[in-house]
Every structure is written in structure tokens, then in C-alpha cells.
């Protein structure tokens, strides 16, 4: 897993802080997680569910609402402020190529997700966990502390042992929202997750949300989980259910990329995981390439120079194998170790190569195979000359052209490793 800081601004220009959670594999879809009332992005539910979803291939932005955690601004703008924050989070992700298709809300954050979904065109599905049906449910946490507060004035209010400044405007905003109408007109796939023993937001709220919603809708019981999902197993279960359910509605970025662009040769595309992770797809399969964690990568695959060295080593071993077979020599195994020393102002890039030959070969044959190793096509490409032409991939589809096929490469190895009188 990897967590990357992701900050953005709300409509008032205040900086909101977030964390993008991604796994080590390709990102199938992007999501926004809205935390519970007076919580922040470091709450157990926000952290564990986001990380578990990342493990299932769903990249998640969990962020602090205005005035909470590390985000700027003043807490207490009511549900309207939270809704604006969710919308801004989605827009910021879209601007960086991480368009969210899924909203996830925990407790009062679920109310914000339900209210925001209708204004975020890219969102196809909403999952809510322990969420109240009416926004006014949150006023139970305030009690009578805001009674008789004059408009425009804020007073200290204690909520779950923490002190906040709230005023009559907070109450007015909360009471102004018609969540029933929003749920009825959601027009998004909806998943309701709730524990029957939730003593903060009763199970009746889940029933009301489910009954008001239109299909497609689903309900999953969280059994004996508590409201804050403090047990890791409960958060993992919720995430696994959301990931499986959302797959039907949010699509798969990797599949969309493959369908949009027929491949010739090989394709390298960003996965969305970490800063550098890419997926390399060839005719025979795919694998990840990356950079080490020490330079900001995930360390989830070979680096570009690892791949270049691997190409040299693989071509060397194959060329020696072809030559030995041609000669009928008892070569049992070839091992090639390749190192790379980066260029400096005074020296070019330098590859080191150590080759081991297994089998009953005398010194003369081993020496001959070392000479043949220098004839492998990749070695010649690196030491002689190569050209690279670059152009825009039109519409994501490669132009028709002639590629170097495996058969072509085999022929080149055979031609280069044999003298004219040996052919």
C-alpha cells in the first residue's frame, strides 16, 4: 500500500488536506471517502476502509472536512459545507486524471455523500456506512447547547468530549436539507451497510434510506460491528463488500484502457498506483514496472534500467543457447548477471555483464561463447547505434505498422551469432 498527500481547496479558498490510498496493483477505479461527524481522515474507519479498498484495486481519497484535522477554515458550516467539500474533492481528483466513480460515506459523512452524489456527474455508485436518514440526526450530539443562541453568534459546544464553536447558523443549515428527496432522486447505485446493534445511529435509519431509494440498491448487515468500526475485521469486511459490489457499477480502468487502444508491439501505461508504477503489457502477458521506494515509487516491479539490463541478459543467454545448439555443444545452463553504472559528466552509461556456462565445456568453447555473447542483438543495439522516433498516439490507437516480431528477433539472433561459413 502507499499513501500520498493530496491537498485541494474549498469554495472559500481554504486548503483541505487529504491522503490518496492505492495498492500495489493497477487501480480499477477511484473513490472519495467522507468521514464521520467531528472525525477526520485519520479515524479508524476512514483509514482502514480506505486501505482495504486500495488492496482491492480501488484508489481512495480520504480527506479532512473544513475546520477538522489538518484542513483550514472554520468547522460548523453544517451539511452544506461538507457537501461542497466532497464536490471539491471530486473535482480536484478529476483534474489530476483520477476521476472518482464511487463515493463512500461513514455516518454523517454518508449524508454528505448522498447529498453530493447528484452534482458529481462522474459518480456512478454510493456506499454509506452507519448513516443517518435525516441530517437533523446529528443535532442529537449537540443537545440543548445551542438553544437560545442568537443568529450570528457562536458558542462553545462539547461533542464526544471535544470542544467546538457552533452557532444558530449550523442548526438552520442542518434543518434545511431534505435528505428523503435526495435519496429518492439519487439515480446512482446505492449500497447501505449498517450494524443492527449500532447504538449511535440506529438500524431504523438504514431501513428508511433503503426504502426511500430506487433500484439498483443493496443492503448488507454489519452484524455486531460498532458504529465507529473500531475492529479491523469489520472495516475489512465492509471494504470487501463495497469493492465487490462497486465492480458492477464503476467499471475497470485497466479494462477500459485495453479496449480503447488495440496494441501493437508492447504497451506501457500508468496504473494510478503511486507516482511511477506502470503496467507493461506484451503479447505474452503483463507485469508491473516501478521505481524504488527511496525515490518515491512503490518498489512493486523492476525499474526501467532493470528492464534494459534484463533485455541484455535475456538476449545474451538466448543467443549463446542458439549457438551451442547449432554446434552440438553440451551447454546445460546459461546464467547472466547484469549491472549498470549511470553515466557521469566524464563517462557514458556502463553495463557490466558476467556470464556462467554450465555443462562439460572446455576453455576454448567457453571463450567462443563469450565472443558470441557480444553478437547478441540487444548488445549490438546498446553498443552500436539505434534510433527512436516518437509521435502522438492518435486517439489512443496505434497506427498500423510493422513491428519487430518474436520471429524477427529469433532470426536476428541466428544471423548475428553465426559466421558466414558457419551458417
Amino acid at each position: 500500500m502507499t499513501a500520498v498527500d493530496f491537498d485541494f481547496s474549498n469554495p472559500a479558498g481554504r486548503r483541505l488536506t487529504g491522503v490518496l490510498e492505492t495498492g500495489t496493483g493497477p487501480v480499477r477505479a477511484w473513490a472519495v471517502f467522507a468521514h464521520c461527524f467531528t472525525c477526520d481522515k485519520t479515524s479508524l474507519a476512514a483509514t482502514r476502509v480506505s486501505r482495504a479498498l486500495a488492496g482491492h484495486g480501488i484508489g481512495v481519497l480520504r480527506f479532512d472536512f473544513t475546520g477538522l484535522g489538518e484542513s483550514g477554515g472554520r468547522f460548523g458550516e453544517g451539511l452544506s459545507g461538507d457537501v461542497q467539500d466532497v464536490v471539491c474533492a471530486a473535482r480536484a481528483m478529476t483534474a489530476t486524471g483520477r476521476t472518482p466513480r464511487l463515493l463512500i460515506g461513514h455516518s454523517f459523512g454518508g449524508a454528505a455523500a448522498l447529498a453530493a452524489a447528484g452534482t458529481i456527474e462522474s459518480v456512478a455508485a454510493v456506499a454509506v456506512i452507519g448513516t443517518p436518514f435525516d441530517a437533523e440526526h446529528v443535532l442529537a450530539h449537540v443537545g440543548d447547547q445551542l438553544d437560545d443562541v442568537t443568529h450570528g453568534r457562536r458558542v462553545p459546544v462539547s461533542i464526544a468530549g471535544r470542544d467546538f464553536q457552533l452557532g444558530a447558523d449550523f442548526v438552520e443549515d442542518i434543518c434545511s436539507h431534505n435528505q428523503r428527496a435526495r435519496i429518492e432522486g439519487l439515480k446512482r447505485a446505492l449500497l447501505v451497510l449498517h450494524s443492527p446493534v449500532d447504538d449511535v445511529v440506529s438500524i431504523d435509519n438504514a431501513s428508511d434510506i433503503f426504502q426511500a431509494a430506487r433500484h439498483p440498491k443493496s443492503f448488507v448487515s454489519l452484524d455486531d460491528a460498532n458504529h465507529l468500526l473500531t475492529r479491523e475485521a469489520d472495516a475489512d469486511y465492509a471494504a470487501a463488500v463495497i469493492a465487490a459490489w462497486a465492480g458492477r457499477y464503476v467499471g475497470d480502468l485497466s479494462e477500459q484502457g485495453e479496449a480503447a487502444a488495440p496494441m501493437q508491439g508492447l504497451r506501457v501505461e500508468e496504473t494510478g498506483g503511486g507516482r511511477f508504477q506502470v503496467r507493461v503489457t506484451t503479447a505474452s502477458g503483463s507485469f508491473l514496472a516501478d521505481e524504488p521506494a527511496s525515490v518515491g515509487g512503490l518498489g512493486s516491479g523492476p525499474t526501467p534500467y532493470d528492464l534494459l539490463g534484463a533485455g541484455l541478459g535475456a538476449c545474451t543467454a538466448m543467443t549463446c543457447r542458439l549457438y551451442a545448439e547449432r554446434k552440438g555443444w553440451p551447454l546445460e545452463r546459461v546464467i547472466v548477471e547484469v549491472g549498470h553504472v549511470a553515466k557521469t559528466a566524464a563517462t557514458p552509461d556502463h553495463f557490466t555483464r558476467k556470464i556462467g556456462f554450465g555443462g562439460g565445456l572446455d576453455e576454448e568453447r567457453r571463450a567462443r561463447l563469450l565472443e558470441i555473447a557480444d553478437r547478441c542483438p540487444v548488445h549490438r543495439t546498446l553498443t552500436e547505434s539505434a534510433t527512436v522516433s516518437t509521435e502522438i498516439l492518435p486517439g489512443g490507437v496505434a497506427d498500423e505498422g510493422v513491428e519487430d516480431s518474436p520471429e524477427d528477433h529469433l532470426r536476428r539472433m541466428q544471423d548475428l551469432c553465426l559466421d558466414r561459413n558457419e551458417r
Side-chain angles (χ1 to χ4, degrees):
M1 303 295 167
T2 184
V4 179
D5 292 339
F6 188 92
D7 296 349
F8 57 98
S9 298
N10 66 7
R14 301 292 187 183
R15 182 180 65 87
L16 304 186
T17 65
V19 173
L20 277 171
E21 297 279 3
T22 54
T24 57
V27 175
R28 297 192 291 114
W30 291 102
V32 176
F33 188 101
H35 62 69
C36 57
F37 184 62
T38 71
C39 300
D40 58 39
K41 65 179 182 294
T42 65
S43 69
L44 287 177
T47 302
R48 287 174 174 170
V49 171
S50 295
R51 289 176 178 172
L53 281 170
H56 288 282
I58 297 179
V60 182
L61 170 64
R62 52 183 172 91
F63 72 96
D64 294 329
F65 281 117
T66 297
L68 294 172
E70 299 176 304
S71 288
R74 185 176 65 175
F75 172 74
E77 300 299 327
L79 181 59
S80 295
D82 289 352
V83 172
Q84 289 181 339
D85 289 351
V86 172
V87 172
C88 290
R91 289 175 179 170
M93 291 183 70
T94 299
T96 62
R98 303 177 176 94
T99 303
R101 298 278 291 158
L102 171 66
L103 295 185
I104 307 157
H106 176 219
S107 192
F108 195 63
L114 289 169
T119 61
I120 307 174
E121 186 175 350
S122 65
V123 169
V126 182
V128 293
I129 307 169
T131 293
F133 174 65
D134 289 316
E136 294 178 40
H137 183 280
V138 76
L139 295 179
H141 295 284
V142 179
D144 59 0
Q145 298 177 83
L146 294 177
D147 290 353
D148 302 323
V149 177
T150 58
H151 189 76
R153 179 169 171 262
R154 290 191 162 226
V155 297
V157 173
S158 178
I159 303 174
R162 298 170 62 194
D163 293 331
F164 299 92
Q165 293 282 331
L166 297 177
D169 57 337
F170 172 80
V171 178
E172 292 172 0
D173 180 85
I174 292 296
C175 294
S176 69
H177 291 275
N178 185 347
Q179 286 291 87
R180 175 182 290 276
R182 282 172 169 156
I183 296 169
E184 290 176 345
L186 187 62
K187 296 181 180 179
R188 307 291 195 279
L190 175 63
L191 173 62
V192 180
L193 302 101
H194 213 111
S195 169
V197 296
D198 191 326
D199 59 359
V200 177
V201 179
S202 72
I203 189 65
D204 293 339
N205 287 270
S207 299
D208 291 340
I209 292 174
F210 189 80
Q211 290 175 7
R214 303 288 190 262
H215 285 290
K217 59 182 179 179
S218 304
F219 171 79
V220 172
S221 172
L222 294 180
D223 196 20
D224 60 346
N226 59 42
H227 181 69
L228 295 178
L229 300 184
T230 55
R231 291 188 310 199
E232 188 172 2
D234 294 328
D236 288 344
Y237 175 71
V241 170
I242 294 171
W245 167 84
R248 178 176 291 272
Y249 305 105
V250 303
D252 190 322
L253 291 177
S254 59
E255 291 179 359
Q256 293 168 13
E258 290 172 0
M263 185 188 69
Q264 293 190 6
L266 62 82
R267 181 186 297 277
V268 179
E269 55 189 325
E270 292 185 315
T271 66
R275 294 177 62 197
F276 303 117
Q277 188 186 76
V278 296
R279 181 175 56 177
V280 181
T281 303
T282 70
S284 60
S286 64
F287 58 90
L288 297 177
D290 204 345
E291 290 286 355
S294 60
V295 296
L298 301 177
S300 58
T303 70
Y305 274 103
D306 287 339
L307 295 174
L308 193 57
L312 174 61
C315 189
T316 297
M318 294 174 187
T319 302
C320 290
R321 169 58 56 193
L322 279 172
Y323 186 85
E325 288 181 352
R326 174 84 178 194
K327 291 292 191 177
W329 292 351
L331 176 62
E332 296 178 357
R333 189 182 184 191
V334 182
I335 299 175
V336 184
E337 295 182 357
V338 179
H340 172 249
V341 179
K343 69 177 181 180
T344 66
T347 61
D349 280 275
H350 178 66
F351 286 89
T352 61
R353 182 174 54 181
K354 298 179 181 179
I355 309 175
F357 302 113
L361 300 177
D362 56 28
E363 290 302 317
E364 182 179 350
R365 288 177 175 178
R366 291 174 184 270
R368 181 57 178 162
L369 286 175
L370 284 178
E371 294 176 3
I372 294 302
D374 287 344
R375 297 185 183 184
C376 87
V378 173
H379 178 98
R380 289 198 169 187
T381 297
L382 290 172
T383 59
E384 295 178 3
S385 62
T387 62
V388 177
S389 60
T390 304
E391 60 186 60
I392 295 294
L393 192 64
V397 179
D399 289 337
E400 295 292 334
V402 178
E403 299 290 343
D404 186 26
S405 69
E407 293 78 12
D408 293 332
H409 185 67
L410 176 61
R411 176 185 52 78
R412 290 170 61 205
M413 285 194 297
Q414 291 172 329
D415 289 346
L416 290 170
C417 77
L418 299 177
D419 293 330
R420 288 185 181 275
N421 60 356
E422 294 177 323
R423 293 177 188 172

